Amino acid sequence: MQFYAVNGSPRKKRNTATVLGKALEGIAAACPEAQTEMLHLYDYTYKGCISCFECKRLGGKSYGRCAVRDELAPVLEKLSLADGIIFGSPIYFQGITGEMRSFFERFLFPYLVYDAEYSSIAPKKMKTAFIYTMNVTESFMREMHYPEHLGGMEYFTGRMLTPPAVLYINDTYQFMDYSKYKVECFSEEAKLKRREEVFPEDCRKAFELGMSMARA
């Protein structure tokens, strides 16, 4: 069995990557024979969908898969045969990062069939999950309707693959030294306190999410 974590953050060792790593650890704990790998989207040079529609051309060699052959192409091939994928992204302007959005255009659109039911021709119905990290509090997140804004990609992932599990990581610690940045709207002391007291619980939830995915 093969499980992947897709890191949509430009940083490889901070909040998003950390919780994704914990989720992969949970998968390994529940299913020791499973193979796990984290893929960092910012390692690859690629664009979003270019609207060539070769993935929809009847009888075409790229029907059902993205025709663009760039650095993302082998990643898409690898993910198409996964048993489970966990997508992780920090939140920028109430949405996933641009790199992750472009990735989803290339990953999901080829599976969408333009028939009456808008059905899916994904090679496998692998388990999926989304983990979001953000510097805003949970109350602000809900007041500003972040879950609704983020729900669109979750919906299409559910249509093309399987309905995803979702985990929100709020009020994150963004900088190693807040004194170097102009961030008057945040309290470094409060952020650090939450990092020490709450983030370990967030990591535990990510670990359990991974275990649940593997067991399913």
Side-chain angles (χ1 to χ4, degrees):
M1 299 179 71
Q2 183 70 58
F3 294 86
Y4 295 96
V6 178
N7 180 21
S9 170
R11 301 196 285 184
K12 297 182 180 181
K13 296 182 179 180
R14 292 295 291 161
N15 299 311
T16 306
T18 298
V19 291
L20 285 175
K22 292 296 181 182
L24 292 181
E25 289 177 16
I27 290 171
C31 187
E33 68 273 18
Q35 295 180 325
T36 63
E37 182 180 355
M38 190 179 307
L39 304 171
H40 300 281
L41 291 182
Y42 280 78
D43 281 349
Y44 307 98
T45 300
Y46 63 95
K47 297 179 181 179
C49 177
I50 62 171
S51 232
C52 67
F53 289 101
E54 288 301 311
C55 63
K56 307 278 185 282
R57 185 182 294 275
L58 292 173
K61 62 180 181 179
S62 294
Y63 183 77
R65 64 186 183 90
C66 184
V68 178
R69 310 315 292 172
D70 58 10
E71 292 184 10
L72 189 65
V75 175
L76 299 178
E77 292 290 340
K78 182 183 293 189
L79 292 175
S80 70
L81 300 176
D83 294 290
I85 308 174
I86 304 170
F87 308 102
S89 178
I91 298 305
Y92 295 168
F93 291 109
Q94 300 185 9
I96 56 178
T97 62
E99 294 292 298
M100 177 141 272
R101 169 73 193 202
S102 294
F103 158 79
F104 272 119
E105 291 177 4
R106 299 273 302 279
F107 180 50
L108 292 180
F109 185 61
Y111 300 152
L112 175 65
V113 180
Y114 279 172
D115 57 15
E117 292 76 32
Y118 288 98
S119 56
S120 171
I121 53 172
K124 294 182 71 173
K125 291 290 188 178
M126 69 280 287
K127 295 295 181 181
T128 65
F130 281 75
I131 297 179
Y132 304 107
T133 62
M134 62 196 84
N135 66 1
V136 301
T137 63
E138 181 179 0
S139 60
F140 184 88
M141 174 188 79
R142 299 197 181 280
E143 178 185 348
M144 297 301 292
H145 306 288
Y146 278 40
E148 290 83 353
H149 293 306
L150 298 169
M153 201 60 71
E154 297 165 17
Y155 168 78
F156 285 108
T157 298
R159 285 287 303 271
M160 299 302 103
L161 304 173
T162 60
V166 178
L167 177 61
Y168 304 110
I169 309 296
N170 297 99
D171 205 3
T172 54
Y173 191 70
Q174 293 178 282
F175 312 107
M176 297 305 295
D177 184 354
Y178 274 65
S179 67
K180 296 180 178 180
Y181 305 91
K182 188 172 182 61
V183 284
E184 296 170 358
C185 55
F186 301 117
S187 164
E188 179 179 7
E189 182 180 357
K191 286 282 191 181
L192 181 57
K193 186 174 186 293
R194 183 175 178 87
R195 174 76 177 190
E196 294 172 344
E197 297 179 359
V198 179
F199 193 67
E201 176 66 11
D202 293 329
C203 290
R204 184 191 64 79
K205 291 178 181 177
F207 183 88
E208 292 183 348
L209 182 152
M211 292 187 71
S212 178
M213 173 179 283
R215 287 170 176 165

